[in-house]
Amino acid sequence: MKRIRFFLCFGLILAGCALSPQTVTIDPDFVIDQKSAGKRTASLGIEVIDSRQGDVVGNRGGVYKSSSHISTKGDITGPIQQRLSRALGDIGYQVITGGDKADARLQVEISDLKYTAFGENIVRSIETSAEIRFICQKGSKTFTGSYQGSRKQDVIKAPTEDENERLINGALVTVFQKMLEDRELLAFIDG
């Protein structure tokens, strides 16, 4: 009987260390710096592309790392394009959708989105990172660039799906804030 209890308890402990896969919704909420807002006359067409290799951004760690993946849910470009269009509209641009003619065109590529759990069998900290590239065309001129950002957070226990969603969206907010505050890019669009 003691052996059965031992194996039952041991099984429960291992199950407690096992982390199940998660799927997160991408919907980063950008905060507009009012210093960037102003009277802008340029119309701007926006396109967001997801060039990542797949939907998996990393794994949650734990004992069974190979089965504790975190993936993004569905097409991530739609929510990002909506949020980015609204943010650029908030700083004064007339955002054009579809194939309508615009003064400038901004193509943003989500090139990397990662989630890394640190710790052996117990997760101790999480790092999320993102990278975007962009091409902005105005007439015959082109302006290109990229932004990278990461966030690290210590944790007491493995984050829930909602917490991981917040952490991953936070990495995207970090890189898009850099883009929205890039004076060179804004000057190119305005010029």
Side-chain angles (χ1 to χ4, degrees):
M1 187 67 156
K2 286 184 181 182
R3 281 180 95 168
I4 293 172
R5 278 191 214 154
F6 170 77
F7 286 113
L8 184 60
C9 287
F10 184 71
L12 289 173
I13 289 170
L14 280 180
C17 294
L19 299 173
S20 58
Q22 292 179 346
T23 303
V24 297
T25 300
I26 298 300
D27 192 18
D29 194 8
F30 314 129
V31 178
I32 299 306
D33 179 8
Q34 291 306 314
K35 294 178 207 167
S36 300
K39 182 78 171 141
R40 294 182 169 14
T41 58
S43 59
L44 183 61
I46 299 171
E47 179 184 17
V48 177
I49 298 168
D50 182 6
S51 67
R52 297 174 302 141
Q53 295 298 313
D55 294 338
V56 174
V57 294
N59 72 60
R60 302 180 62 206
V63 176
Y64 303 108
K65 294 177 183 151
S66 62
S67 63
S68 62
H69 297 295
I70 296 181
S71 303
T72 54
K73 182 178 183 178
D75 177 23
I76 70 170
T77 61
I80 291 173
Q81 186 158 329
Q82 261 185 334
R83 294 284 190 169
L84 184 58
S85 295
R86 191 181 74 205
L88 287 164
D90 287 348
I91 61 174
Y93 292 108
Q94 178 188 357
V95 178
I96 306 294
T97 57
D100 296 337
K101 187 169 170 62
D103 297 324
R105 286 230 161 283
L106 177 64
Q107 183 183 73
V108 180
E109 173 190 352
I110 312 300
S111 55
D112 199 16
L113 186 57
K114 285 184 185 168
Y115 177 101
T116 308
F118 295 96
E120 284 302 311
N121 294 330
I122 299 173
V123 177
R124 302 277 184 217
S125 65
I126 304 297
E127 183 176 35
T128 53
S129 62
E131 180 180 359
I132 61 173
R133 297 183 186 113
F134 72 89
I135 299 171
C136 189
Q137 294 180 311
K138 188 165 186 179
S140 61
K141 297 178 183 177
T142 302
F143 186 75
T144 62
S146 65
Y147 307 97
Q148 297 174 337
S150 64
R151 302 172 94 187
K152 194 166 189 178
Q153 181 170 330
D154 293 333
V155 294
I156 296 171
K157 60 182 179 117
T160 65
E161 192 167 74
D162 287 342
E163 291 168 330
N164 280 328
E165 190 168 280
R166 183 181 49 78
L167 291 169
I168 292 167
N169 278 303
L172 284 166
V173 167
T174 299
V175 293
F176 277 101
Q177 289 298 140
K178 289 179 181 182
M179 188 180 89
L180 291 166
E181 295 168 7
D182 185 339
R183 292 175 191 240
E184 284 185 73
L185 173 61
L186 299 180
F188 178 81
I189 297 169
D190 292 335

mmCIF file of all heavy atoms in Angstrom, residues 78-112:
data_model
loop_
_atom_site.group_PDB
_atom_site.id
_atom_site.type_symbol
_atom_site.label_atom_id
_atom_site.label_comp_id
_atom_site.label_asym_id
_atom_site.label_seq_id
_atom_site.Cartn_x
_atom_site.Cartn_y
_atom_site.Cartn_z
ATOM 1 N N GLY A 78 -3.630 40.888 -38.888
ATOM 2 C CA GLY A 78 -4.845 41.713 -38.813
ATOM 3 C C GLY A 78 -4.895 42.594 -37.579
ATOM 4 O O GLY A 78 -5.024 43.825 -37.679
ATOM 5 N N PRO A 79 -4.773 42.000 -36.371
ATOM 6 C CA PRO A 79 -4.808 42.832 -35.168
ATOM 7 C C PRO A 79 -3.662 43.845 -35.103
ATOM 8 O O PRO A 79 -3.855 44.979 -34.667
ATOM 9 C CB PRO A 79 -4.696 41.817 -34.023
ATOM 10 C CG PRO A 79 -5.120 40.522 -34.599
ATOM 11 C CD PRO A 79 -4.763 40.575 -36.056
ATOM 12 N N ILE A 80 -2.479 43.432 -35.555
ATOM 13 C CA ILE A 80 -1.344 44.360 -35.523
ATOM 14 C C ILE A 80 -1.594 45.513 -36.493
ATOM 15 O O ILE A 80 -1.352 46.675 -36.165
ATOM 16 C CB ILE A 80 -0.024 43.625 -35.841
ATOM 17 C CG1 ILE A 80 0.330 42.679 -34.692
ATOM 18 C CG2 ILE A 80 1.113 44.629 -36.083
ATOM 19 C CD1 ILE A 80 1.523 41.783 -34.958
ATOM 20 N N GLN A 81 -2.087 45.212 -37.684
ATOM 21 C CA GLN A 81 -2.356 46.265 -38.662
ATOM 22 C C GLN A 81 -3.427 47.228 -38.139
ATOM 23 O O GLN A 81 -3.303 48.438 -38.318
ATOM 24 C CB GLN A 81 -2.784 45.663 -40.001
ATOM 25 C CG GLN A 81 -2.921 46.712 -41.081
ATOM 26 C CD GLN A 81 -2.823 46.125 -42.474
ATOM 27 O OE1 GLN A 81 -2.137 45.133 -42.698
ATOM 28 N NE2 GLN A 81 -3.494 46.746 -43.417
ATOM 29 N N GLN A 82 -4.452 46.700 -37.492
ATOM 30 C CA GLN A 82 -5.497 47.565 -36.917
ATOM 31 C C GLN A 82 -4.928 48.489 -35.858
ATOM 32 O O GLN A 82 -5.184 49.694 -35.874
ATOM 33 C CB GLN A 82 -6.585 46.707 -36.264
ATOM 34 C CG GLN A 82 -7.791 46.515 -37.106
ATOM 35 C CD GLN A 82 -8.859 45.758 -36.315
ATOM 36 O OE1 GLN A 82 -8.586 44.999 -35.385
ATOM 37 N NE2 GLN A 82 -10.090 45.961 -36.714
ATOM 38 N N ARG A 83 -4.158 47.916 -34.933
ATOM 39 C CA ARG A 83 -3.570 48.720 -33.852
ATOM 40 C C ARG A 83 -2.587 49.755 -34.401
ATOM 41 O O ARG A 83 -2.565 50.896 -33.955
ATOM 42 C CB ARG A 83 -2.854 47.818 -32.840
ATOM 43 C CG ARG A 83 -3.756 46.905 -32.066
ATOM 44 C CD ARG A 83 -4.508 47.637 -31.005
ATOM 45 N NE ARG A 83 -5.176 46.685 -30.130
ATOM 46 C CZ ARG A 83 -5.743 47.017 -29.002
ATOM 47 N NH1 ARG A 83 -5.741 48.275 -28.607
ATOM 48 N NH2 ARG A 83 -6.330 46.112 -28.261
ATOM 49 N N LEU A 84 -1.770 49.353 -35.362
ATOM 50 C CA LEU A 84 -0.781 50.258 -35.948
ATOM 51 C C LEU A 84 -1.470 51.377 -36.724
ATOM 52 O O LEU A 84 -1.076 52.545 -36.619
ATOM 53 C CB LEU A 84 0.172 49.475 -36.849
ATOM 54 C CG LEU A 84 1.328 50.250 -37.465
ATOM 55 C CD1 LEU A 84 2.195 50.909 -36.388
ATOM 56 C CD2 LEU A 84 2.174 49.321 -38.335
ATOM 57 N N SER A 85 -2.506 51.042 -37.471
ATOM 58 C CA SER A 85 -3.256 52.064 -38.216
ATOM 59 C C SER A 85 -3.859 53.079 -37.267
ATOM 60 O O SER A 85 -3.799 54.289 -37.510
ATOM 61 C CB SER A 85 -4.368 51.408 -39.046
ATOM 62 O OG SER A 85 -3.821 50.580 -40.035
ATOM 63 N N ARG A 86 -4.446 52.593 -36.183
ATOM 64 C CA ARG A 86 -5.041 53.503 -35.204
ATOM 65 C C ARG A 86 -3.983 54.393 -34.552
ATOM 66 O O ARG A 86 -4.165 55.604 -34.397
ATOM 67 C CB ARG A 86 -5.800 52.727 -34.128
ATOM 68 C CG ARG A 86 -6.639 53.663 -33.251
ATOM 69 C CD ARG A 86 -7.381 52.950 -32.184
ATOM 70 N NE ARG A 86 -6.414 52.575 -31.167
ATOM 71 C CZ ARG A 86 -6.567 51.572 -30.331
ATOM 72 N NH1 ARG A 86 -7.621 50.823 -30.374
ATOM 73 N NH2 ARG A 86 -5.644 51.309 -29.430
ATOM 74 N N ALA A 87 -2.831 53.802 -34.201
ATOM 75 C CA ALA A 87 -1.758 54.569 -33.562
ATOM 76 C C ALA A 87 -1.219 55.646 -34.499
ATOM 77 O O ALA A 87 -1.019 56.792 -34.089
ATOM 78 C CB ALA A 87 -0.630 53.634 -33.126
ATOM 79 N N LEU A 88 -0.995 55.300 -35.766
ATOM 80 C CA LEU A 88 -0.490 56.287 -36.723
ATOM 81 C C LEU A 88 -1.552 57.349 -37.016
ATOM 82 O O LEU A 88 -1.223 58.513 -37.228
ATOM 83 C CB LEU A 88 -0.023 55.594 -38.007
ATOM 84 C CG LEU A 88 1.286 54.814 -37.841
ATOM 85 C CD1 LEU A 88 1.496 53.840 -38.985
ATOM 86 C CD2 LEU A 88 2.464 55.765 -37.711
ATOM 87 N N GLY A 89 -2.813 56.956 -36.999
ATOM 88 C CA GLY A 89 -3.891 57.935 -37.128
ATOM 89 C C GLY A 89 -3.926 58.878 -35.931
ATOM 90 O O GLY A 89 -4.145 60.084 -36.079
ATOM 91 N N ASP A 90 -3.667 58.334 -34.738
ATOM 92 C CA ASP A 90 -3.663 59.152 -33.516
ATOM 93 C C ASP A 90 -2.546 60.194 -33.510
ATOM 94 O O ASP A 90 -2.671 61.229 -32.858
ATOM 95 C CB ASP A 90 -3.532 58.267 -32.274
ATOM 96 C CG ASP A 90 -4.804 57.495 -31.956
ATOM 97 O OD1 ASP A 90 -5.867 57.801 -32.546
ATOM 98 O OD2 ASP A 90 -4.738 56.573 -31.109
ATOM 99 N N ILE A 91 -1.440 59.909 -34.226
ATOM 100 C CA ILE A 91 -0.374 60.918 -34.270
ATOM 101 C C ILE A 91 -0.512 61.841 -35.477
ATOM 102 O O ILE A 91 0.353 62.671 -35.729
ATOM 103 C CB ILE A 91 1.051 60.311 -34.187
ATOM 104 C CG1 ILE A 91 1.356 59.376 -35.343
ATOM 105 C CG2 ILE A 91 1.267 59.630 -32.865
ATOM 106 C CD1 ILE A 91 2.792 58.878 -35.376
ATOM 107 N N GLY A 92 -1.627 61.693 -36.201
ATOM 108 C CA GLY A 92 -1.954 62.691 -37.206
ATOM 109 C C GLY A 92 -1.984 62.261 -38.658
ATOM 110 O O GLY A 92 -2.344 63.051 -39.527
ATOM 111 N N TYR A 93 -1.599 61.016 -38.956
ATOM 112 C CA TYR A 93 -1.598 60.589 -40.348
ATOM 113 C C TYR A 93 -2.997 60.177 -40.791
ATOM 114 O O TYR A 93 -3.790 59.673 -39.998
ATOM 115 C CB TYR A 93 -0.632 59.421 -40.569
ATOM 116 C CG TYR A 93 0.803 59.828 -40.406
ATOM 117 C CD1 TYR A 93 1.535 59.429 -39.300
ATOM 118 C CD2 TYR A 93 1.413 60.643 -41.347
ATOM 119 C CE1 TYR A 93 2.848 59.819 -39.127
ATOM 120 C CE2 TYR A 93 2.728 61.044 -41.186
ATOM 121 C CZ TYR A 93 3.439 60.633 -40.076
ATOM 122 O OH TYR A 93 4.727 61.035 -39.914
ATOM 123 N N GLN A 94 -3.260 60.391 -42.077
ATOM 124 C CA GLN A 94 -4.492 59.890 -42.671
ATOM 125 C C GLN A 94 -4.157 58.492 -43.190
ATOM 126 O O GLN A 94 -3.461 58.338 -44.193
ATOM 127 C CB GLN A 94 -4.955 60.793 -43.812
ATOM 128 C CG GLN A 94 -6.194 60.294 -44.488
ATOM 129 C CD GLN A 94 -6.530 61.085 -45.743
ATOM 130 O OE1 GLN A 94 -5.864 62.057 -46.086
ATOM 131 N NE2 GLN A 94 -7.558 60.640 -46.433
ATOM 132 N N VAL A 95 -4.629 57.473 -42.489
ATOM 133 C CA VAL A 95 -4.290 56.096 -42.830
ATOM 134 C C VAL A 95 -5.255 55.597 -43.897
ATOM 135 O O VAL A 95 -6.470 55.684 -43.755
ATOM 136 C CB VAL A 95 -4.330 55.194 -41.580
ATOM 137 C CG1 VAL A 95 -4.023 53.756 -41.966
ATOM 138 C CG2 VAL A 95 -3.327 55.693 -40.544
ATOM 139 N N ILE A 96 -4.675 55.103 -44.990
ATOM 140 C CA ILE A 96 -5.430 54.613 -46.139
ATOM 141 C C ILE A 96 -5.416 53.090 -46.108
ATOM 142 O O ILE A 96 -4.365 52.482 -45.929
ATOM 143 C CB ILE A 96 -4.788 55.104 -47.465
ATOM 144 C CG1 ILE A 96 -4.617 56.624 -47.469
ATOM 145 C CG2 ILE A 96 -5.563 54.600 -48.657
ATOM 146 C CD1 ILE A 96 -5.901 57.392 -47.458
ATOM 147 N N THR A 97 -6.574 52.476 -46.296
ATOM 148 C CA THR A 97 -6.632 51.017 -46.318
ATOM 149 C C THR A 97 -6.857 50.532 -47.742
ATOM 150 O O THR A 97 -7.290 51.282 -48.609
ATOM 151 C CB THR A 97 -7.770 50.499 -45.418
ATOM 152 O OG1 THR A 97 -9.008 51.086 -45.858
ATOM 153 C CG2 THR A 97 -7.523 50.855 -43.968
ATOM 154 N N GLY A 98 -6.555 49.270 -47.941
ATOM 155 C CA GLY A 98 -6.756 48.681 -49.269
ATOM 156 C C GLY A 98 -5.761 49.220 -50.282
ATOM 157 O O GLY A 98 -4.667 49.637 -49.951
ATOM 158 N N GLY A 99 -6.176 49.253 -51.524
ATOM 159 C CA GLY A 99 -5.293 49.665 -52.604
ATOM 160 C C GLY A 99 -5.377 51.134 -52.953
ATOM 161 O O GLY A 99 -4.882 51.553 -53.995
ATOM 162 N N ASP A 100 -6.058 51.914 -52.094
ATOM 163 C CA ASP A 100 -6.186 53.347 -52.383
ATOM 164 C C ASP A 100 -4.821 54.018 -52.424
ATOM 165 O O ASP A 100 -3.883 53.627 -51.747
ATOM 166 C CB ASP A 100 -7.071 54.021 -51.324
ATOM 167 C CG ASP A 100 -8.501 53.505 -51.350
ATOM 168 O OD1 ASP A 100 -8.916 52.989 -52.405
ATOM 169 O OD2 ASP A 100 -9.178 53.598 -50.317
ATOM 170 N N LYS A 101 -4.740 55.071 -53.218
ATOM 171 C CA LYS A 101 -3.483 55.813 -53.383
ATOM 172 C C LYS A 101 -3.163 56.598 -52.111
ATOM 173 O O LYS A 101 -4.019 57.265 -51.550
ATOM 174 C CB LYS A 101 -3.611 56.756 -54.567
ATOM 175 C CG LYS A 101 -2.315 57.461 -54.926
ATOM 176 C CD LYS A 101 -2.469 58.162 -56.257
ATOM 177 C CE LYS A 101 -1.317 59.070 -56.559
ATOM 178 N NZ LYS A 101 -0.039 58.456 -56.684
ATOM 179 N N ALA A 102 -1.926 56.482 -51.675
ATOM 180 C CA ALA A 102 -1.462 57.193 -50.482
ATOM 181 C C ALA A 102 -0.158 57.913 -50.809
ATOM 182 O O ALA A 102 0.560 57.527 -51.738
ATOM 183 C CB ALA A 102 -1.238 56.209 -49.338
ATOM 184 N N ASP A 103 0.153 58.966 -50.034
ATOM 185 C CA ASP A 103 1.406 59.700 -50.229
ATOM 186 C C ASP A 103 2.616 58.821 -49.943
ATOM 187 O O ASP A 103 3.653 58.933 -50.596
ATOM 188 C CB ASP A 103 1.449 60.926 -49.308
ATOM 189 C CG ASP A 103 0.352 61.923 -49.616
ATOM 190 O OD1 ASP A 103 0.014 62.089 -50.810
ATOM 191 O OD2 ASP A 103 -0.183 62.537 -48.667
ATOM 192 N N ALA A 104 2.484 57.950 -48.936
ATOM 193 C CA ALA A 104 3.579 57.051 -48.556
ATOM 194 C C ALA A 104 2.994 55.675 -48.241
ATOM 195 O O ALA A 104 1.838 55.562 -47.863
ATOM 196 C CB ALA A 104 4.314 57.602 -47.341
ATOM 197 N N ARG A 105 3.837 54.662 -48.428
ATOM 198 C CA ARG A 105 3.429 53.288 -48.120
ATOM 199 C C ARG A 105 4.405 52.711 -47.105
ATOM 200 O O ARG A 105 5.626 52.793 -47.290
ATOM 201 C CB ARG A 105 3.455 52.432 -49.376
ATOM 202 C CG ARG A 105 2.299 52.731 -50.305
ATOM 203 C CD ARG A 105 1.639 51.424 -50.664
ATOM 204 N NE ARG A 105 0.315 51.448 -51.180
ATOM 205 C CZ ARG A 105 -0.817 51.618 -50.488
ATOM 206 N NH1 ARG A 105 -0.780 51.878 -49.226
ATOM 207 N NH2 ARG A 105 -1.986 51.522 -51.054
ATOM 208 N N LEU A 106 3.852 52.121 -46.043
ATOM 209 C CA LEU A 106 4.666 51.527 -44.987
ATOM 210 C C LEU A 106 4.361 50.034 -44.926
ATOM 211 O O LEU A 106 3.232 49.639 -44.669
ATOM 212 C CB LEU A 106 4.354 52.185 -43.636
ATOM 213 C CG LEU A 106 5.078 51.635 -42.413
ATOM 214 C CD1 LEU A 106 6.588 51.863 -42.539
ATOM 215 C CD2 LEU A 106 4.542 52.301 -41.144
ATOM 216 N N GLN A 107 5.382 49.219 -45.196
ATOM 217 C CA GLN A 107 5.245 47.769 -45.097
ATOM 218 C C GLN A 107 6.049 47.317 -43.880
ATOM 219 O O GLN A 107 7.239 47.591 -43.787
ATOM 220 C CB GLN A 107 5.771 47.078 -46.347
ATOM 221 C CG GLN A 107 5.584 45.576 -46.320
ATOM 222 C CD GLN A 107 6.188 44.925 -47.541
ATOM 223 O OE1 GLN A 107 7.414 44.841 -47.665
ATOM 224 N NE2 GLN A 107 5.339 44.473 -48.445
ATOM 225 N N VAL A 108 5.362 46.658 -42.945
ATOM 226 C CA VAL A 108 5.996 46.200 -41.713
ATOM 227 C C VAL A 108 6.007 44.675 -41.710
ATOM 228 O O VAL A 108 4.985 44.045 -41.946
ATOM 229 C CB VAL A 108 5.238 46.719 -40.468
ATOM 230 C CG1 VAL A 108 5.908 46.222 -39.198
ATOM 231 C CG2 VAL A 108 5.175 48.238 -40.474
ATOM 232 N N GLU A 109 7.170 44.115 -41.449
ATOM 233 C CA GLU A 109 7.346 42.662 -41.448
ATOM 234 C C GLU A 109 7.658 42.190 -40.028
ATOM 235 O O GLU A 109 8.599 42.666 -39.403
ATOM 236 C CB GLU A 109 8.517 42.305 -42.375
ATOM 237 C CG GLU A 109 8.920 40.876 -42.355
ATOM 238 C CD GLU A 109 10.224 40.628 -43.096
ATOM 239 O OE1 GLU A 109 10.744 41.558 -43.760
ATOM 240 O OE2 GLU A 109 10.729 39.508 -43.004
ATOM 241 N N ILE A 110 6.831 41.273 -39.520
ATOM 242 C CA ILE A 110 7.116 40.645 -38.228
ATOM 243 C C ILE A 110 8.096 39.521 -38.540
ATOM 244 O O ILE A 110 7.732 38.490 -39.097
ATOM 245 C CB ILE A 110 5.842 40.048 -37.570
ATOM 246 C CG1 ILE A 110 4.682 41.030 -37.587
ATOM 247 C CG2 ILE A 110 6.154 39.525 -36.173
ATOM 248 C CD1 ILE A 110 4.905 42.311 -36.874
ATOM 249 N N SER A 111 9.376 39.733 -38.213
ATOM 250 C CA SER A 111 10.385 38.762 -38.610
ATOM 251 C C SER A 111 10.718 37.765 -37.506
ATOM 252 O O SER A 111 11.196 36.662 -37.790
ATOM 253 C CB SER A 111 11.658 39.462 -39.088
ATOM 254 O OG SER A 111 12.129 40.352 -38.117
ATOM 255 N N ASP A 112 10.452 38.121 -36.246
ATOM 256 C CA ASP A 112 10.773 37.195 -35.164
ATOM 257 C C ASP A 112 9.920 37.511 -33.940
ATOM 258 O O ASP A 112 9.654 38.686 -33.636
ATOM 259 C CB ASP A 112 12.258 37.299 -34.812
ATOM 260 C CG ASP A 112 12.762 36.081 -34.060
ATOM 261 O OD1 ASP A 112 12.083 35.042 -34.057
ATOM 262 O OD2 ASP A 112 13.854 36.171 -33.459
#
